[in-house]
């Protein structure tokens, strides 16, 4: 467990196609700046594959049906085919490429999960868009169309027959992810986020139901929280749920919009704060999950801050220092 294994950074040109329009914060350039800053690699600590394989659309849609209603999936396809418009909410603007990009994003998540389950990788950062965590079973929301993070969790749990914990440090609550796994005892969900604020969910008393009671842990924080508040809340919730579920892998909704420069987020988490959040993920993975982490891009809309924070995130994922587990 002390060895340093490389982080696989993956993307695919198909995720660049989705175009919500000029001036929209969720742009293809977000992926480009992250890949550009990571591309040089760092002495074998990570590798960047801009053309990572995705399964066939048929295979991806087969898994997406576990997460979304077929009617909804077909609605995303139909609105994309019509061209430019929007789906469900005005922040989910659609272009002719939206369906293809969203399927490719889910496909990247599916392949990463299969590779983790088959021990072909231990850690990966998947640079995908559209993002995931606001997408619900039957509706698009908050720039999200399909829930790729939920795809990854379902595939890992289904393949390994062991629990996973999804951790979400995006500045917004992952309403779609929480809802999908709310009654599940085998998938934990931990979120630190702004409250009150979009999407309006994620209060501390939302803790799961039935077999899922106690597997959801929300840390709602008022706007303006800094590193000390944001990171401490995240670490507390992560430790609580991970020690309860003893997951086989940690899955990350990695949003970087809690950065002070972000035009949408209202938090004050510095680059040092994102290093601390990422280090907590790695340490928890070493303690409970043999170091296994699958991380997926969510928000983050100031491109310079996004690039810096994504690099810091990957640096920490690449840290194979098992001693961190005892820190
Ligand atoms: Zn966000």
């Amino acid at each position: 467990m002390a060895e340093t294994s490389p982080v696989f950074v993956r993307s695919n040109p198909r995720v660049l196609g989705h175009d919500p329009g000029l001036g929209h914060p969720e742009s293809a350039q977000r992926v480009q700046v992250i890949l550009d800053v990571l591309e040089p690699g760092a002495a074998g600590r990570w590798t960047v594959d801009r053309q990572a394989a995705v399964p066939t659309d048929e295979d991806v849609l087969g898994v997406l049906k576990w997460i979304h209603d077929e009617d909804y999936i077909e609605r995303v396809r139909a609105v994309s085919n019509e061209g430019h418009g929007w789906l469900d909410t005005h922040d989910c603007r659609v272009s002719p490429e939206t369906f293809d990009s969203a399927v490719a994003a889910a496909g990247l998540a599916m392949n990463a999960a299969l590779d983790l389950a088959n021990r072909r990788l231990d850690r990966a950062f998947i640079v995908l868009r559209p993002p995931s965590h606001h997408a619900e079973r039957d509706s698009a929301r908050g720039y999200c169309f399909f829930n790729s993070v939920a795809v990854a969790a379902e595939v890992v749990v289904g393949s390994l027959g062991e629990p996973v914990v999804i951790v979400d440090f995006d500045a917004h609550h992952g309403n779609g992810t929480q809802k999908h796994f709310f009654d599940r005892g085998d998938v934990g969900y931990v979120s630190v986020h702004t409250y009150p604020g979009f999407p309006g969910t994620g209060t501390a008393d939302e803790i799961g139901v039935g077999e899922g009671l106690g597997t959801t842990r929300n840390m709602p924080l008022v706007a303006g929280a800094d590193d000390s508040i944001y990171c401490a809340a995240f670490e507390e919730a992560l430790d609580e749920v991970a020690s309860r579920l003893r997951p086989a892998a940690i899955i990350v909704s990695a949003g970087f919009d809690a950065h002070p420069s972000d035009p949408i987020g209202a938090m004050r988490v510095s680059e040092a704060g994102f290093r601390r959040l990422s280090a907590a993920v790695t340490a928890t993975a070493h303690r409970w999950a043999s170091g296994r982490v699958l991380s997926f891009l969510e928000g983050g809309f100031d491109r310079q801050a996004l690039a810096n924070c994504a690099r810091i995130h990957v640096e920490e994922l690449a840290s194979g220092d098992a001693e961190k587990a005892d820190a």
Side-chain angles (χ1 to χ4, degrees):
M1 209 163 87
E3 85 281 4
T4 301
S5 56
V7 176
F8 291 80
V9 178
R10 292 178 175 175
S11 191
N12 184 285
R14 287 171 61 192
V15 307
L16 304 175
H18 166 59
D19 178 12
L22 196 64
H24 194 289
E26 204 291 281
S27 66
Q29 284 77 36
R30 299 172 61 243
V31 165
Q32 307 273 29
V33 296
I34 291 173
L35 295 175
D36 286 349
V37 80
L38 290 171
E39 183 105 78
R45 293 167 68 204
W46 64 80
T47 58
V48 178
D49 186 353
R50 288 175 180 257
Q51 313 223 27
V54 293
T56 64
D57 282 10
E58 188 181 1
D59 286 347
V60 178
L61 292 171
V63 174
L64 273 176
K65 287 171 189 165
W66 305 346
I67 317 290
H68 297 285
D69 290 343
E70 283 191 60
D71 286 356
Y72 170 68
I73 295 170
E74 289 312 312
R75 205 151 54 80
V76 180
R77 190 203 300 266
V79 176
S80 282
N81 286 344
E82 284 166 18
H84 293 270
W86 50 272
L87 202 75
D88 297 321
T89 57
H90 282 87
D91 56 4
C92 290
R93 298 197 66 81
V94 169
S95 71
E97 305 84 0
T98 299
F99 182 78
D100 185 64
S101 292
V103 169
L108 285 169
M110 183 176 161
N111 263 3
L114 288 169
D115 284 347
L116 180 133
N118 292 320
R119 305 309 305 260
R120 289 193 288 264
L121 63 78
D122 281 338
R123 273 168 282 181
F125 179 49
I126 311 301
V127 191
L128 56 72
R129 63 182 286 279
S132 299
H133 66 163
H134 297 308
E136 300 206 354
R137 175 162 287 280
D138 59 355
S139 59
R141 214 174 162 193
Y143 316 160
C144 303
F145 296 88
F146 295 146
N147 198 322
S148 301
V149 165
V151 165
E154 289 283 21
V155 170
V156 173
V157 168
S159 302
L160 295 180
E162 295 178 69
V164 299
V165 171
I166 300 170
V167 301
D168 186 336
F169 57 70
D170 188 279
H172 305 97
H173 182 242
N175 55 290
T177 307
Q178 172 176 296
K179 201 176 213 178
H180 184 74
F181 295 110
F182 207 52
D183 63 351
R184 293 274 291 271
D186 54 356
V187 180
Y189 179 70
V190 170
S191 179
V192 58
H193 50 266
T194 315
Y195 188 92
F198 181 86
T201 49
T203 58
D205 61 358
E206 296 167 24
I207 56 171
V209 293
E211 289 182 12
L213 195 64
T215 63
T216 291
R217 186 76 168 95
N218 285 302
M219 296 301 237
L221 301 173
V222 293
D226 62 8
D227 291 3
S228 60
I229 295 168
Y230 206 87
C231 298
F234 180 75
E235 288 162 355
E236 180 189 332
L238 172 57
D239 191 52
E240 191 180 301
V241 176
S243 54
R244 181 184 178 115
L245 264 75
R246 299 174 178 255
I250 305 289
I251 294 178
V252 189
S253 267
F256 302 98
D257 46 8
H259 191 280
S261 301
D262 196 88
I264 291 171
M267 290 305 192
R268 304 197 52 77
V269 179
S270 71
E271 287 164 22
F274 282 103
R275 188 174 295 286
R276 182 172 159 189
L277 295 169
S278 304
V281 169
T282 304
T284 304
H286 277 299
R287 182 170 294 153
W288 299 111
S290 307
R292 291 188 279 190
V293 181
L294 289 183
S295 181
F296 300 91
L297 179 64
E298 294 278 7
F301 305 99
D302 178 272
R303 294 209 278 271
Q304 187 61 54
L306 177 63
N308 294 346
C309 293
R311 183 181 168 100
I312 286 166
H313 182 59
V314 172
E315 284 173 359
E316 288 301 319
L317 291 184
S319 166
D321 185 359
E323 288 169 8
K324 285 192 173 214
D326 302 321

